[in-house]
Amino acid sequence: VEAVADDVTGFSPGGEVFGMLRFPGFDGAAYAEYVVAPASDLAPKPAGIDHVHAAGAPMAGLTAWQYLVEVGHDHPSPFQAARHRPVALGTGTRVLVNGAAGGVGHFAVQLAKWKGAHVTAVATGGHEPFLRDLGADEVIDYTRTR
């Protein structure tokens, strides 16, 4: 953060932030080293991750959130004939996450577990410790199990 407006709280010069600027929309015209951004589009960057990883989190996290948690959306997908019919997650819900160690998948595992679901993660076997740490109840190694 280089500077903040007088009415902005929670941020100060020198602070590290990340976010998804002016999303959704096409008001942003370029990516740059410095931008003017609404404070509502930003969050403090967690100390434990670098800027590159923080920059990748908003879109992947939002994708998992919208698919698993935001049950109110009912937008048709141009990629599938059937409409997405979200189910509220909770105790007794079972969630299978394909690509569980990937960008969206690792958020999906955590969100489903946070909501109380039983989570089965599908990935290569080498990712099992990582996925267990994220909360996966079961891990299927797709290179060994059809």
Side-chain angles (χ1 to χ4, degrees):
V1 174
E2 186 69 24
V4 296
D6 292 337
D7 62 342
V8 172
T9 60
F11 299 110
S12 58
E16 296 183 330
V17 297
F18 75 113
M20 207 160 43
L21 303 182
R22 297 172 188 90
F23 183 85
F26 297 101
D27 295 332
Y31 293 95
E33 187 173 345
Y34 289 92
V35 297
V36 175
S40 60
D41 288 0
L42 302 172
K45 182 185 76 62
I49 62 174
D50 60 33
H51 287 283
V52 172
H53 288 93
M59 183 58 80
L62 177 62
T63 300
W65 180 271
Q66 287 177 326
Y67 199 80
L68 290 173
V69 178
E70 189 178 287
V71 297
H73 71 91
D74 194 23
H75 304 287
S77 169
F79 304 111
Q80 62 189 42
R83 271 204 142 136
H84 172 57
R85 302 258 184 241
V87 175
L89 298 179
T91 305
T93 307
R94 298 180 67 86
V95 174
L96 176 77
V97 180
N98 282 312
V104 175
H106 85 286
F107 282 109
V109 168
Q110 294 172 83
L111 288 171
K113 196 65 194 171
W114 169 66
K115 295 298 265 180
H118 177 94
V119 178
T120 301
V122 180
T124 60
H127 292 296
E128 184 168 355
F130 171 67
L131 294 167
R132 295 274 185 194
D133 284 347
L134 295 181
D137 297 293
E138 298 175 61
V139 177
I140 296 173
D141 179 349
Y142 72 83
T143 67
R144 295 178 175 253
T145 304
R146 289 179 56 93

